[in-house]
Amino acid sequence: MTSEYVHGYTAQEATRLVDQASTLTELLHCDTAYPAGSLVLEAGCGVGAQTVTLAARSPQATFVSVDVSPASLRRAQAQVEEAGLRNVTFQEADIFSLPFSETRFDHAFVCFVLEHLARPEKALAEVRRVVKPGGTLTVIEGDHGSAYFHPDSEFARRAIQCLVNLQRHAGGDALIGRRLYPLLVQAGVREVRVSPRIVYVDASRPALVDGFIRKTFTAMVEGVGNQAISQGLIEAESWRKGIRDLYRTAEADGTFCYTFFKAIGLK
Amino acid sequence: MTSEYVHGYTAQEATRLVDQASTLTELLHCDTAYPAGSLVLEAGCGVGAQTVTLAARSPQATFVSVDVSPASLRRAQAQVEEAGLRNVTFQEADIFSLPFSETRFDHAFVCFVLEHLARPEKALAEVRRVVKPGGTLTVIEGDHGSAYFHPDSEFARRAIQCLVNLQRHAGGDALIGRRLYPLLVQAGVREVRVSPRIVYVDASRPALVDGFIRKTFTAMVEGVGNQAISQGLIEAESWRKGIRDLYRTAEADGTFCYTFFKAIGLK
């Protein structure tokens, strides 16, 4: 399944993902804390962008963070060590075939993983398998179709659409946030509650102007420029205008909206 | 300015707007209550969809609700009387030229009005003129570009775009929600804070499935069908598919998102 990823595997990307985690930590994690003594699976920890937050917010819980990429696991481990956290162990594993017995974990957490997978419902079913009955599954995903902004720009919308198309070509779904509810229900998760987490940015929120519009969202779109142009998804000049117009939304009269979706349900 | 409206002037529309107000009351009004003794302008009350809620939530405040349409004012007045409220007076007035002295009001409230106007910043400046220094201006608008759903559908997106285009042809802006911050700043409003209010709907929220997807949003889009087709904005068959696909999102595996924007600032 490793070939299905379109981002996350360069050093610059790793930095961006960590920056993103800092900016959005409160929005995404504010209602996640696990009880003392619980054993929690983080499935698809990547470079550890969420792992440090997860582990720090639940210091009395123990986390097993797995990923299919040894390189990502090494980065994640380094981050956790740097943060002085001792409640995480890392393990190489494929989310479609987890090396754990049924009901091994009290809870599971999956963040920014399903968007990359061709069969997210299968991954969810496998994560559910290793959770005890009554345990929670928490899933967080973005949705690039939720991005809109002022000034509006057709070029910017086309640039974002390139990212969506590239992710689709790679087998993923950049619009998966809106699908979390049916996906979890399909995977057998009960009592699913989905809550959207909207990032709204205007000039009165300068940290988000820089941290989200520039360094998270536009940086992410910018990161696929060469791929999008070389694959003929867009002409170089239109791409340049699209990126310019995304940065334009970070000026004093600009605004930007993006929505993450967080789903919580029970096995 | 009356020619700038694209909806709100038929009996069916009036019913829809009132239904919409009931479904969304808590989301939009939860943080609006005016102190005892204050005098509040509701500029552009229309058929009174918000007036009853406003007045009921602030029983010790007095409201002056104005609109440019005498027919709408009569409907609004009937609703307020039916609700047994005695703290509202109605007056015919043009939001661009209010018949009030400077600093007449303690506060002002404007909801679902600016979207219809070619010069919303001028209307806001006029509303601001009649508010006392230190008084609040509250503005609520939707943004049809914030609508997305599962299953995604190009036909549904095109049908929504017809509504956006019709509103634009009439001089309005159906994407105005995202612009509230710069509009209020431009009108001289201070300390503007905008908060998005997202309506997220899935099968676990049946009241919203019916009340919002079917009876509010899709009903609104459906309402401009004849206009859109007769003006050649879309072929009848595509329109039919678009409306069908919007209703499709109300089924058990569907989801729907729409965001309103609420801005509050000071004179």
Side-chain angles (χ1 to χ4, degrees):
Chain A
M1 290 300 133
T2 57
S3 66
E4 291 176 356
Y5 286 66
V6 298
H7 60 76
Y9 279 103
T10 67
Q12 197 187 348
E13 271 292 292
T15 306
R16 187 190 63 75
L17 292 173
V18 172
D19 283 350
Q20 174 177 315
S22 316
T23 308
L24 303 173
T25 296
E26 193 55 27
L27 186 71
L28 301 181
H29 287 270
C30 58
D31 51 352
T32 295
Y34 296 105
S38 54
L39 184 65
V40 183
L41 171 68
E42 185 194 7
C45 65
V47 297
Q50 313 302 322
T51 313
V52 170
T53 304
L54 261 185
R57 289 182 54 90
S58 301
Q60 308 291 313
T62 302
F63 294 84
V64 177
S65 294
V66 308
D67 201 90
V68 74
S69 159
S72 291
L73 284 169
R74 282 192 295 275
R75 286 184 160 277
Q77 181 136 31
Q79 284 210 61
V80 163
E81 283 169 8
E82 197 181 332
L85 294 163
R86 299 172 161 277
N87 56 336
V88 187
T89 60
F90 291 94
Q91 188 170 339
E92 188 180 329
D94 182 344
I95 196 169
F96 291 100
S97 175
L98 294 167
F100 305 115
S101 62
E102 299 213 353
T103 76
R104 164 80 180 283
F105 294 97
D106 297 300
H107 305 283
F109 181 89
V110 185
C111 184
F112 302 147
V113 175
L114 302 182
E115 59 171 325
H116 301 294
L117 306 178
R119 291 170 298 170
E121 68 288 351
K122 276 201 65 173
L124 278 175
E126 176 67 353
V127 170
R128 177 182 173 280
R129 182 184 67 80
V130 303
V131 172
K132 291 177 184 161
T136 63
L137 285 84
T138 298
V139 181
I140 300 174
E141 293 288 346
D143 189 312
H144 296 352
S146 75
Y148 53 98
F149 32 81
H150 175 72
D152 192 18
S153 153
E154 196 199 319
F155 292 112
R157 282 187 268 117
R158 286 180 58 199
I160 295 168
Q161 189 58 42
C162 287
L163 191 58
V164 173
N165 292 342
L166 284 167
Q167 194 130 336
R168 187 177 297 138
H169 297 166
D173 181 4
L175 312 181
I176 200 166
R178 70 188 75 175
R179 288 173 56 206
L180 285 189
Y181 181 83
L183 280 172
L184 268 76
V185 169
Q186 190 183 351
V189 181
R190 296 181 295 118
E191 297 182 33
V192 178
R193 288 298 289 177
V194 172
S195 58
R197 314 277 163 121
I198 189 166
V199 182
Y200 164 76
V201 190
D202 63 32
S204 72
R205 309 174 192 226
L208 282 173
V209 169
D210 195 54
F212 192 80
I213 299 182
R214 293 198 188 99
K215 291 188 177 153
T216 298
F217 190 83
T218 306
M220 176 181 65
V221 177
E222 228 174 349
V224 302
N226 291 339
Q227 224 180 326
I229 294 165
S230 69
Q231 294 191 18
L233 299 181
I234 193 169
E235 330 79 77
E237 181 61 12
S238 297
W239 178 265
R240 194 190 59 73
K241 288 179 182 168
I243 298 300
R244 175 201 64 191
D245 290 351
L246 285 174
Y247 281 115
R248 168 67 181 83
T249 69
E251 292 181 22
D253 62 347
T255 66
F256 197 97
C257 294
Y258 185 93
T259 300
F260 295 91
F261 292 82
K262 184 169 185 173
I264 304 173
L266 301 178
K267 174 165 179 180
Chain B
M1 288 298 133
T2 57
S3 66
E4 292 176 358
Y5 286 63
V6 298
H7 60 76
Y9 280 102
T10 68
Q12 196 187 349
E13 271 292 293
T15 306
R16 187 190 64 74
L17 291 172
V18 172
D19 282 352
Q20 173 175 316
S22 317
T23 308
L24 303 172
T25 297
E26 193 55 27
L27 186 71
L28 301 181
H29 286 270
C30 59
D31 51 351
T32 295
Y34 296 103
S38 54
L39 183 66
V40 182
L41 171 68
E42 186 194 7
C45 64
V47 297
Q50 313 302 322
T51 312
V52 170
T53 304
L54 260 186
R57 289 183 54 89
S58 300
Q60 308 291 314
T62 303
F63 294 85
V64 177
S65 293
V66 308
D67 201 89
V68 74
S69 159
S72 293
L73 285 169
R74 280 192 297 273
R75 287 185 158 275
Q77 181 135 29
Q79 285 210 60
V80 162
E81 283 168 9
E82 195 181 335
L85 294 163
R86 299 174 161 276
N87 56 336
V88 187
T89 59
F90 291 95
Q91 187 168 339
E92 187 180 330
D94 182 345
I95 196 170
F96 291 101
S97 176
L98 294 167
F100 306 115
S101 62
E102 299 215 351
T103 75
R104 163 82 180 282
F105 294 96
D106 296 302
H107 306 284
F109 182 89
V110 186
C111 185
F112 303 148
V113 175
L114 301 182
E115 59 171 326
H116 301 294
L117 307 178
R119 292 169 298 169
E121 68 288 351
K122 276 200 67 175
L124 278 174
E126 176 67 352
V127 170
R128 177 183 173 278
R129 181 184 67 80
V130 302
V131 172
K132 290 177 184 161
T136 64
L137 284 85
T138 297
V139 181
I140 300 175
E141 293 289 345
D143 188 311
H144 295 352
S146 76
Y148 52 98
F149 33 81
H150 174 73
D152 193 16
S153 152
E154 196 199 319
F155 292 112
R157 281 188 269 114
R158 285 180 57 201
I160 295 168
Q161 189 58 42
C162 287
L163 191 57
V164 173
N165 291 343
L166 284 168
Q167 193 131 339
R168 188 177 297 136
H169 296 167
D173 181 3
L175 311 181
I176 200 165
R178 70 189 73 178
R179 288 172 57 204
L180 286 189
Y181 180 83
L183 279 174
L184 268 75
V185 169
Q186 189 184 350
V189 181
R190 296 181 295 118
E191 296 182 32
V192 178
R193 289 298 287 177
V194 173
S195 59
R197 313 278 163 122
I198 189 166
V199 182
Y200 165 76
V201 190
D202 62 34
S204 73
R205 309 174 194 226
L208 282 172
V209 169
D210 196 55
F212 192 79
I213 299 182
R214 293 197 188 98
K215 291 186 178 154
T216 298
F217 190 82
T218 306
M220 175 180 65
V221 177
E222 231 175 347
V224 303
N226 292 339
Q227 222 180 328
I229 294 165
S230 69
Q231 294 191 18
L233 297 182
I234 193 168
E235 330 78 77
E237 181 61 13
S238 298
W239 178 265
R240 196 191 59 74
K241 289 179 181 168
I243 298 300
R244 175 199 65 191
D245 290 353
L246 285 173
Y247 280 114
R248 168 69 182 83
T249 69
E251 293 180 22
D253 62 347
T255 65
F256 198 97
C257 296
Y258 185 92
T259 300
F260 295 91
F261 291 82
K262 184 168 184 172
I264 304 173
L266 302 179
K267 172 159 179 185

